[in-house]
Amino acid sequence: MVQEEIVRRKLPQVLPEGMTAQGFAAWRRDMVALYARECFGVTPPAPASVHAETMAEQQDDWAGKAAHREVRLSFEMEKGEFSFPVHLVLPHCGQPCPCVVYISFTPYATAGYQPIEEIVDQGWALAVFNYEDVTADNGDMGSGIAAMVSRKGSDSWGKIGMWAYAASRVLDYLHTVPEVDTRRVAVLGHSRLGKTALWAGAQDTRFAGVVSNDSGCSGAAVSRGKVGESVDDICRVFPYWFCENYQKYRKNEAALPFEQYHLLACAAPRPLYVASASQDEWADPASEFLSCCLLEEVYGLFGLPALGAPNPELPAPGGRLSMGQVGYHLRPGTHYLSRYDWVRALQFLRMRM
Ligand code: GCU
């Protein structure tokens, strides 16, 4: 199936000939720079320091299983100081815990999307921020963090880049939290925020694991030959998620200087989990899965299996591939970040991080 798809969709090579594990870090940096220039826009430098002010703290939340701390992070940017709130859930487990930075659609614990008890019961800490506390999800480049950096040209960052930058600032802060095992911090997001998680993980190798849930177009799904949403659709409706240069590829995927498995490859050799939903035709599960299938040679550089299946086929709804360093599942149902997705993704990462 994979070989046929490579031919049918005219997919570019995954890695250049002769790539080695030693050469991979430079390749990854170049790929990140290419994605910055042609897709998400250029990320400003990290601030010298991030200041955290605790706004509220509850020692025994979630049936007494975890502490809940609300902090406000602030840091200097080109045009002044920027700050946003983050919620931390710290299980009482007597030792530093692995943690997931969750880029959220909603404020802390308001909706489905965050099964906090299940996360805590698996021994994970959680750091949540609401993406619209960073910048509004619209074309207003004067909103939030967008106003803090001058826009210089066709590679000026889009909103996905801004949300990803915020995820890295949360990670800066986590490095000062003794309850968190900073070698084991993953980043997770759903849909547009799944694209964001992939971009955050590609740029910031301090993230020890990456989870993309239903990220679809310009996320995990191969663009060439994709069904459902296309580069043209996403650039028409959400141009502000990307830099202006990405517009060049509308109805012109063949000209893209990368494919989405290159974005995923930037996570290597770290564990990567990609989740799809069977009825999420807009995201196109088969194209999300195909990206995962093409990572074998990348993880192979490090002596690791990616999916690790000899002739991988898209699993039936409810099915999962989780033998290697890249995990994939196809949840039955529609576009959503469900408990099913959280629990499986975190189980997978827990054993590898
Ligand atoms: C739209 C968009 C997708 C995106 C999704 C979401 O459907 O077309 O690309 O992933 O919104 O973020 O929920």
Side-chain angles (χ1 to χ4, degrees):
M1 165 259 186
V2 177
Q3 280 315 315
E4 284 157 30
E5 286 299 285
I6 292 174
V7 175
R8 187 178 75 78
R9 300 183 187 221
K10 302 196 176 66
L11 297 182
Q13 268 185 295
V14 181
L15 291 173
E17 300 299 329
M19 176 58 68
T20 59
Q22 292 69 30
F24 183 74
W27 178 88
R28 193 192 62 79
R29 275 195 298 276
D30 291 347
M31 188 50 70
V32 165
L34 188 63
Y35 261 94
R37 196 182 75 217
E38 299 297 321
C39 182
F40 297 117
V42 175
T43 303
S49 61
V50 171
H51 174 75
E53 187 182 350
T54 301
M55 312 305 284
E57 177 139 24
Q58 208 180 329
Q59 270 314 315
D60 291 307
D61 209 351
W62 302 102
K65 291 189 265 198
H68 169 204
R69 185 182 304 163
E70 186 184 350
V71 296
R72 196 157 190 99
L73 302 186
S74 44
F75 45 91
E76 281 304 319
M77 300 197 70
E78 183 199 326
K79 296 192 176 180
E81 189 185 81
F82 182 69
S83 73
F84 68 100
V86 177
H87 288 261
L88 252 193
V89 180
L90 298 165
H92 298 307
C93 55
Q95 58 187 23
C97 313
C99 181
V100 57
V101 173
Y102 172 45
I103 313 164
S104 174
F105 277 102
T106 55
Y108 175 73
T110 50
Y113 285 148
Q114 304 174 28
I116 293 180
E117 268 196 89
E118 284 86 341
I119 296 166
V120 163
D121 288 346
Q122 280 198 35
W124 287 85
L126 180 71
V128 191
F129 68 95
N130 175 16
Y131 79 138
E132 292 210 293
D133 285 335
V134 175
T135 182
D137 189 359
N138 58 36
D140 178 5
M141 290 297 169
S143 143
I145 206 170
M148 295 294 155
V149 180
S150 17
R151 300 191 69 74
K152 295 207 178 88
S154 55
D155 63 359
S156 286
W157 64 344
K159 298 272 165 134
I160 287 178
M162 300 177 201
W163 300 320
Y165 184 83
S168 284
R169 303 296 68 82
V170 174
L171 183 53
D172 295 341
Y173 161 63
L174 293 175
H175 277 255
T176 68
V177 177
E179 294 94 330
V180 169
D181 181 349
T182 48
R183 294 161 309 164
R184 292 190 294 156
V185 180
V187 59
L188 180 151
H190 165 63
S191 206
R192 68 199 67 184
L193 302 177
K195 311 180 211 296
T196 305
L198 289 171
W199 181 226
Q203 295 180 92
D204 193 337
T205 53
R206 297 174 304 165
F207 285 116
V210 180
V211 183
S212 143
N213 195 78
D214 300 359
S215 62
C217 182
S218 312
V222 168
S223 303
R224 289 165 177 81
K226 184 184 179 305
V227 298
E229 186 174 32
S230 65
V231 173
D232 180 46
D233 294 318
I234 205 165
C235 284
R236 184 180 62 253
V237 184
F238 304 104
Y240 48 86
W241 287 353
F242 308 96
C243 70
E244 232 175 276
N245 283 337
Y246 200 42
Q247 298 278 332
K248 292 189 289 199
Y249 305 105
R250 294 178 65 170
K251 298 198 195 299
N252 195 17
E253 281 88 348
L256 283 164
F258 45 66
E259 246 312 341
Q260 294 312 106
Y261 42 80
H262 292 129
L263 180 63
L264 269 51
C266 292
R270 295 166 288 163
L272 167 72
Y273 198 83
V274 173
S276 306
S278 62
Q279 293 171 46
D280 190 5
E281 285 113 18
W282 190 236
D284 187 3
S287 292
E288 294 177 318
F289 181 65
L290 181 57
S291 281
C292 299
C293 295
L294 289 163
L295 296 174
E296 228 55 63
E297 62 182 281
V298 180
Y299 283 81
L301 291 174
F302 301 92
L304 294 165
L307 287 175
N311 292 305
E313 294 283 343
L314 180 67
R320 179 185 196 191
L321 285 165
S322 57
M323 299 296 285
Q325 191 74 346
V326 176
Y328 177 87
H329 75 227
L330 184 63
R331 173 178 47 75
T334 57
H335 188 72
Y336 193 74
L337 174 58
S338 73
R339 282 171 168 68
Y340 181 111
D341 299 311
W342 272 104
V343 168
R344 281 166 180 74
L346 294 190
Q347 273 169 356
F348 176 85
L349 289 186
R350 194 81 160 87
M351 280 149 49
R352 290 166 178 80
M353 263 173 50

